[in-house]
Amino acid sequence: MPDGRDPVPSSPTENANSGRSETALSGPTEKCGVVGVSLTERDAARPLYYSLYALQHRGQESAGIVTHDGFQQHDHVEMGLVGDAFTEDDIESLRGSAGIGHVRYPTAGSVDKSCAQPFTVSFRSGALGLSHNGNLVNADEVRDELAAEGHAFTSDGDTEVIAHDLARNLLEEDLVRAVKRTMGRIHGSYSLTIMQDDTVLGVRDPEGNRPLCIGELDDGYVVASESAAIDTLDGELVRDVRPGELVVLQPDGEGFDSYQLFEREHTAHCFFEHVYFARPDSVIDGKLVYEVRRDLGRELWAESGIDTDVVMPVPDSGRAFASGYADAAQDDGASVEFAEGLMKNRYVGRTFIMPTQDERERAVRLKLNPIKSTVEGKTVTLVDDSIVRGTTSTQLVQLLKDCGAAEVHMRIGAPPIAAPCYMGINMATREELIAADRSTEEIRDEIEADSLGYLSPDAVAAALGEDRDDLCMGCVTGEYPYDIDGEEMDPAHADNPRPEL
Ligand code: AMP
């Protein structure tokens, strides 16, 4: 470029205005929910608050909202659940029609408010707020470089690194070029909502690892991790934010501008969002999660179906899989009957991240109790979405046998999880993963099931309607779409090298 600046279109590649027509590992893992709202008629705080409620499943450790009233930022960030983090007065105090919000995923170990979000920073040309879902793999490198330039950091989180880098670039570039420059320096997964003064942006990493979508409200627009947040606001899903796209919500609430800043040969959508993490009523990358899970259940029957007296889900995660499995079985003439054989106590939370194995085992028992009449004397197929450490399946097989089940067959709606996730899902370490160094038969033996069937990666891709090369299956294959120290890179993503800083 003659002026040495990034080649960014001076006007948006796309623009959507009123109506639906579009014209023109380091730090803690961040498996979170993000939202941004720009309105004309009213303050953004309340819709943000409701959106965070809708995204609560994506993070229960902390919740926060930052708004801008045209003159200054207002923020409230608190540890805990959304319902506990905000009082009516807090919401009233968050003035302004633009804002972003965040819920943070709990991780094992210390719970630290310095990592709660949105992260805010004031710099010479304005105020920035950032909410991040994902995980950078080169945050340390970028942080070291910025620290050498005099940037002072208050947390070890990735989000602060992105915020400082963007603040620095904004001193030299316009908003779109500054975002592009930051995206060219950070490596890893990120869905971001950003507020620069009262302008709200949505950004999705070039591989589209984490979800992000755009919704239209009566008096403005919203970007959110999942469409369930848009539904909660009585809005309409416009579409997903595309991998590598920057979306700028127009402050007049009339529409949004779209800039396609990066394009890759392959996306790296996280398959585990569809399998476990996202709400079943969300539409991600054009697919309703509930239907994907039912299709995964159907594939599971096709690949490893077994005709037992009953098929029952591990609630709630296995429910849609088990119903798809049972339908496919019945379509094939099998006599297996769908039954609810386990009752879930909804008031036991956070079992997965409990620090000791003992506590995790006790928690499974606290959380789930069998319904004797559906189990006693029956051959049972138990369906869950995934096995990670093997705690849940080991406990449940035992529980059902103690309750009088004649046989317990385990069917899993995902392939074996054999490697860690560096992209933000709390998946335990290789040493803890039951499938890291065991065959399916060895796992079956360990969990003491009568049989065990996982889904193949190809069946997952088929159910998601995606090419396997467009999915991130690092936790299954140990090959990642990002360049991670000490790990193999998925050859399909060779055009995604770690940036030279
Ligand atoms: P585990 O008991 O360690 O084998 O974990 C498997 C169970 O935890 C399944 O019932 C899953 O639905 C659930 N699960 C899987 N991944 C996660 C995660 N990242 N966070 C919380 N729960 C999970």
Side-chain angles (χ1 to χ4, degrees):
M1 294 295 286
D3 61 0
R5 301 206 295 175
D6 279 337
V8 166
S10 54
S11 60
T13 19
E14 250 181 54
N15 171 269
N17 36 37
S18 54
R20 309 295 308 281
S21 66
E22 294 173 4
T23 51
L25 295 185
S26 53
T29 49
E30 310 278 359
K31 185 72 192 72
C32 309
V34 301
V35 60
V37 164
S38 189
L39 304 174
T40 47
E41 304 286 323
R42 53 193 166 127
D43 280 351
R46 206 163 294 274
L48 286 165
Y49 174 66
Y50 295 142
S51 305
L52 293 184
Y53 253 115
L55 298 174
Q56 184 77 83
H57 63 290
R58 299 186 68 85
Q60 302 90 45
E61 187 180 277
S62 65
I65 292 177
V66 179
T67 58
H68 200 286
D69 64 10
F71 298 99
Q72 66 179 110
Q73 260 187 1
H74 306 273
D75 66 282
H76 182 82
V77 178
E78 204 44 75
M79 303 309 287
L81 297 172
V82 178
D84 301 324
F86 298 89
T87 63
E88 191 54 34
D89 285 350
D90 295 330
I91 294 171
E92 285 294 321
S93 71
L94 292 164
R95 316 296 316 175
S97 58
I100 59 172
H102 189 266
V103 283
R104 188 177 145 82
Y105 189 60
T107 46
S110 68
V111 175
D112 182 358
K113 199 173 171 191
S114 72
C115 286
Q117 299 186 27
F119 184 83
T120 52
V121 57
S122 292
F123 64 110
R124 201 156 15 114
S125 49
L128 265 186
L130 259 97
S131 294
H132 176 203
N133 171 207
N135 202 47
L136 300 187
V137 297
N138 71 340
D140 286 348
E141 286 155 60
V142 182
R143 186 189 291 106
D144 288 350
E145 200 192 80
L146 289 165
E149 287 176 18
H151 288 256
F153 289 88
T154 57
S155 74
D156 61 352
D158 300 359
T159 316
E160 188 173 4
V161 173
I162 304 174
H164 278 267
D165 195 74
L166 188 56
R168 180 186 68 171
N169 294 339
L170 280 165
L171 296 176
E172 294 167 12
E173 307 268 27
D174 63 39
L175 182 60
V176 178
R177 282 190 175 81
V179 170
K180 183 168 185 192
R181 206 152 122 182
T182 294
M183 288 172 77
R185 283 163 53 76
I186 58 179
H187 190 60
S189 72
Y190 51 90
S191 278
L192 302 165
T193 53
I194 304 176
M195 193 167 55
Q196 188 212 14
D197 292 333
D198 58 355
T199 301
V200 174
L201 325 176
V203 179
R204 197 169 176 202
D205 74 66
E207 289 69 43
N209 187 252
R210 296 281 145 230
L212 193 66
C213 58
I214 312 165
E216 185 182 350
L217 309 178
D218 284 346
D219 57 343
Y221 279 81
V222 51
V223 267
S225 293
E226 289 184 37
S227 62
I230 299 166
D231 296 340
T232 304
L233 303 182
D234 292 327
E236 264 200 74
L237 173 65
V238 175
R239 63 170 172 82
D240 294 286
V241 175
R242 298 184 184 112
E245 184 185 23
L246 160 68
V247 168
V248 183
L249 305 191
Q250 291 163 7
D252 59 8
E254 286 298 307
F256 61 88
D257 297 323
S258 155
Y259 301 84
Q260 190 62 50
L261 298 181
F262 287 87
E263 247 162 311
R264 298 266 193 257
E265 200 184 330
H266 290 293
T267 60
H269 297 316
C270 167
F271 84 98
F272 208 65
E273 284 280 350
H274 295 271
V275 163
Y276 172 76
F277 212 80
R279 276 171 61 146
D281 53 336
S282 282
V283 176
I284 292 186
D285 293 318
K287 276 150 266 153
L288 180 65
V289 173
Y290 177 74
E291 288 305 335
V292 169
R293 287 184 191 164
R294 277 186 40 89
D295 287 348
L296 289 165
R298 298 186 74 89
E299 297 276 352
L300 195 54
W301 168 261
E303 285 196 336
S304 65
I306 178 163
D307 201 1
T308 52
D309 295 329
V310 287
V311 51
M312 57 179 62
V314 176
D316 296 307
S317 51
R319 201 164 267 134
F321 297 84
S323 99
Y325 181 96
D327 275 2
Q330 284 155 10
D331 287 352
D332 271 359
S335 56
V336 61
E337 188 193 321
F338 180 89
E340 291 281 356
L342 289 164
M343 244 356 257
K344 179 171 172 178
N345 181 341
R346 294 186 191 286
Y347 305 98
V348 183
R350 299 175 166 225
T351 56
F352 190 81
I353 57 149
M354 285 181 170
T356 68
Q357 186 59 18
D358 254 14
E359 283 173 283
R360 287 193 290 268
E361 284 172 12
R362 163 69 23 211
V364 172
R365 192 64 192 85
L366 275 176
K367 205 178 207 172
L368 294 164
N369 200 37
I371 298 170
K372 207 163 183 173
S373 63
T374 24
V375 175
E376 201 170 18
K378 304 263 175 66
T379 55
V380 174
T381 303
L382 186 61
V383 181
D384 204 357
D385 65 288
S386 59
I387 297 180
V388 181
R389 297 182 183 92
T391 318
T392 308
S393 32
T394 307
Q395 293 292 304
L396 292 182
V397 169
Q398 189 60 52
L399 201 59
L400 295 179
K401 290 201 165 169
D402 289 350
C403 195
E407 290 169 17
V408 181
H409 301 268
M410 199 74 211
R411 292 293 177 273
I412 302 298
I417 306 292
C421 175
Y422 297 93
M423 279 38 273
I425 292 194
N426 187 353
M427 276 290 195
T429 59
R430 264 198 180 83
E431 297 73 62
E432 291 177 304
L433 292 168
I434 195 169
D437 54 4
R438 288 180 188 82
S439 66
T440 300
E441 176 52 25
E442 285 167 336
I443 300 168
R444 184 209 62 72
D445 192 46
E446 181 112 358
I447 65 174
E448 296 183 28
D450 291 282
S451 74
L452 169 65
Y454 284 102
L455 206 51
S456 69
D458 285 339
V460 171
L464 266 67
E466 299 242 28
D467 191 307
R468 258 194 75 178
D469 288 343
D470 289 324
L471 293 173
C472 178
M473 288 207 179
C475 60
V476 172
T477 61
E479 291 183 340
Y480 298 87
Y482 302 92
D483 181 3
I484 298 161
D485 291 336
E487 297 286 2
E488 297 289 318
M489 202 164 168
D490 180 348
H493 293 87
D495 69 336
N496 184 23
R498 189 186 274 239
E500 300 265 341
L501 297 182

